[in-house]
Amino acid sequence: MPTPPAPAFRHYRPRRALWDNKAVRAGTLALLLALCGLLILALVREQTGTAGFLVGLGLAVLPVPLLIAAFRWMDRVEPKPWRNLIFAFAWGACAATLVALLANSYATKWLMNTIDIAHREEASSFGATFVAPVVEESAKAAAVLLLYLYRRRDFNGIIDGVVVAGITATGFAFTENILYLGNAYASDQSFGASGFTTTAGTFFVRVLMSPFAHPLFTSMTGLGFGIAATLPAHRRVLRVFVPLTGLLTAMVLHAVWNGSASLPGLGFLIVYALFMVPVFGTLTWLTIWSRQNELRTIRAHLPEYQAAGWLTPPEPLALSSMRARAIARDVAKRANGPAAARTVAEYISFATSLAFLRQRAYAGRMTPDFQAREQELLHHLWQRKDVAQPALERASMSAVRPVMTPPVAGHGAGTPGMGWPGRPGPYGTGILPPQGPYGTADPGQRQ
């Protein structure tokens, strides 16, 4: 009698909760934002009327491309995925504005019914100064918090926080401007004003004079989260305190701005010139400095991969120069067409992520998937090196002056165990060379 075959051994895989599925989370979030968008659309149209809504929409959209382009310029060193920015904008334009519209309306009614305020204008002014900043900045901060928690791979420092917060606030200001401009147009029509007196004044103040107001406020929150992202994991209290401080600063700036609108005479212009403009200038300087610091990070950490054989000698300097990056893309495009330019851009992006991954490990912020992520990025570089490396070498000769970069304290050339192939480092093993003990030059094939 034949012996029955032994039952096949099956590895036990713990069942994952439904919410752990990325597709489920993304679909739920998209559905939530779509519902918020439909609700806010209906509420705004109800307040402004169809004509007012269309006029407000046409005028409110004008500063949006300029603001998004400005934030993308800030983020040129390590551009964030478009899906993150689309989420941030949609959250600001739909979810945050819906929360703010409902909460501010409820707060105004509560103030009129419970506090000794005789006129609706006084209640609105009080709410705009003390209630709206808390509600609106908290609603916008939720988008930054979600990306900070669930997209930490794309959240490395100050620039990332400011960009995400700024895009979120741009979406919020877009919807809010539709409401204000639509109401202004409806007011002009109902009172029979000649031309568009109220609409023109609202457009001048909100779109031409202060398009950066909401992005400036919320950037304080993003700044707090960006600083927290650079702190080591053991600084738990500070990593909570700094974002809360940024959020509080955003609320204060917002309150000062809203309160200045009720000041007599030239009070608004004085606050604008002596307070808001210097804050905006300081934030602009800080983001430019942070971008230069990101380039220095690339220059400091990529030589470890060049020493291990993954990069050619000119690449670390070329990748740390915005001009050399642009020249490399142009060289590839002229030689092999737009597809080659995209390949070079992808190579630059993966190499930049690799440098920041290494920097986080040295700063004590290494994640459990460090080695898997490193191998993934090296695999992507290896697939694109035949197109990208010649273009970067050509660009380095045209745009980069040879400089001697001093090694970062604790690692770099001549420091055993800190990035040299085959030697143990502070967080596991060092960088393996392309022809390593696995017998293959492609890290994507290693098991």
Side-chain angles (χ1 to χ4, degrees), residues 165-177:
I167 295 292
T168 304
T170 299
F172 185 94
F174 167 66
T175 304
E176 190 179 62
N177 283 341

Side-chain angles (χ1 to χ4, degrees), residues 18-36 87 91:
L18 186 62
W19 187 248
D20 290 338
N21 188 300
K22 292 183 178 180
V24 171
R25 291 202 303 265
T28 303
L29 198 58
L31 179 61
L32 175 64
L33 290 175
L35 291 175
C36 290
F87 162 75
W91 183 277

